[in-house]
Amino acid sequence: MCRDYERERQWRMHKAMIDAEYERRRVPELRVITGDAEPNSYMRETTELTKPAPIVRMVENGTCLEMTMAHWWFVPASHRGTYKEFQRKLNTFNARSEGIGGSSTFRKAFASRRCLVPASGWYEWTEPPGWKKGKPKTKWRIMIGDHEPIFFAGIWDRFTDTDPEDPGPKDTFALITHDAGPGVIDYHDRAPIVMPPSTWADWLNPTNDAPQALLPPASAADTYIVEYVSGPPPAAPTLL
C-alpha cells in the first residue's frame, strides 16, 4: 500500500474543508489562493503511479496554500538524471512513517516540503481462498463515509529532469504510510495516513521542526468503511 487511490470529489469540496478549518482557527497559513479553478484531470477513480495528481502545499513565501499538480513517484532534488532512471532505481511512491525522518531519500522533503494529497479513498487487493498466480484478486475500496473528501499526508520535492523529450523542473510527491489498524489490517498491513483538520496547519508549515509528532502510529479503529469492488466475491457474510 498504497499504489492506487481515488479522488471522486471536486476540488471545491476539498477547498471548503480547508476554508472551514481556517474560519475555525483563523490560522493565516490555511488560506487557499488557488480558488475554485481545477484541472480537468482532478477527479479520477484511479490515480496512476508517475502521473500528475493534485497536492496542496505552502507557497514559496509561506503565507498561504495552493493546489497544484505533481507526479506521484517521489524524486529528491539531489537526483541528477531522468525521471525514468530514478523509477528503475527506487520505489518511492510511498514513504514509511517510521523511517522517513532518517531516510537519505526523504528526510529533506519531510523537514520542509510536506503536503496534503486530496483523495476520497484507496484500493487494496486480497487473494481469495485457493488463489493461484495469474488469477484475479478481490479488489476493495477503503474510505470514510460515502467517499468523503480526505487528505493524505505527503511530501513533495522538485528536481530537474534531463530527459531530452521532457526536460526541465518536475514536482513529485509520495504518500506517507503507517501500520494498518483494526478495520484495515485484514486487507493490507500498511495504510496511507489520513490527516485530521487539526493537524493541517502544523503539517504544512515548513518551519515546524516536529512533524513526526503529527503522524499517528497506526490507522484508527472504526474509522474506515471497506467496500467490495470487483474480482472473486467474498464469502458471505461480507466483512465490512
Side-chain angles (χ1 to χ4, degrees), residues 197-224:
S198 60
T199 66
W200 295 343
D202 290 333
W203 176 253
L204 294 168
N205 187 344
T207 66
N208 178 14
D209 59 2
Q212 193 75 47
L214 300 173
L215 299 177
S219 57
D222 303 323
T223 299
Y224 303 103

Side-chain angles (χ1 to χ4, degrees), residues 112-139:
S112 61
R113 288 192 162 180
R114 298 178 294 273
C115 63
L116 295 172
V117 182
S120 55
W122 74 95
Y123 298 102
E124 297 294 359
W125 284 259
T126 58
E127 298 174 2
W131 180 83
K132 295 182 180 180
K133 187 175 181 180
K135 297 293 184 180
K137 294 185 179 182
T138 303
K139 184 177 182 179

Side-chain angles (χ1 to χ4, degrees), residues 41-105:
S41 61
Y42 186 81
M43 294 177 66
R44 284 287 184 272
E45 181 177 353
T46 299
T47 302
E48 299 177 8
L49 293 175
T50 77
K51 303 300 183 182
I55 64 172
V56 177
R57 65 187 180 190
M58 196 75 71
V59 298
E60 295 291 338
N61 61 14
T63 59
C64 47
L65 304 180
E66 65 177 353
M67 187 274 283
T68 188
M69 304 296 282
H71 295 261
W72 184 23
W73 192 299
F74 180 88
V75 179
S78 58
H79 175 60
R80 300 293 181 267
T82 70
Y83 197 20
K84 293 179 180 179
E85 287 171 349
F86 191 87
Q87 292 165 27
R88 289 193 290 267
K89 185 166 57 173
L90 288 174
N91 289 337
T92 53
F93 48 91
N94 290 335
R96 297 175 69 94
S97 61
E98 303 92 317
I100 190 171
S103 165
S104 59
T105 301

Side-chain angles (χ1 to χ4, degrees), residues 146-207:
D146 183 17
H147 303 248
E148 290 183 14
I150 55 178
F151 288 102
F152 294 138
I155 56 173
W156 72 277
D157 212 340
R158 179 176 297 152
F159 82 105
T160 301
D161 195 339
T162 60
D163 187 338
E165 296 183 0
D166 188 20
K170 274 193 176 62
D171 289 350
T172 66
F173 74 96
L175 301 182
I176 303 178
T177 68
H178 58 182
D179 287 336
V184 179
I185 189 66
D186 291 337
Y187 305 91
H188 201 282
D189 61 351
R190 304 290 296 180
I193 298 177
V194 178
M195 298 295 281
S198 60
T199 66
W200 295 343
D202 290 333
W203 176 253
L204 294 168
N205 187 344
T207 66

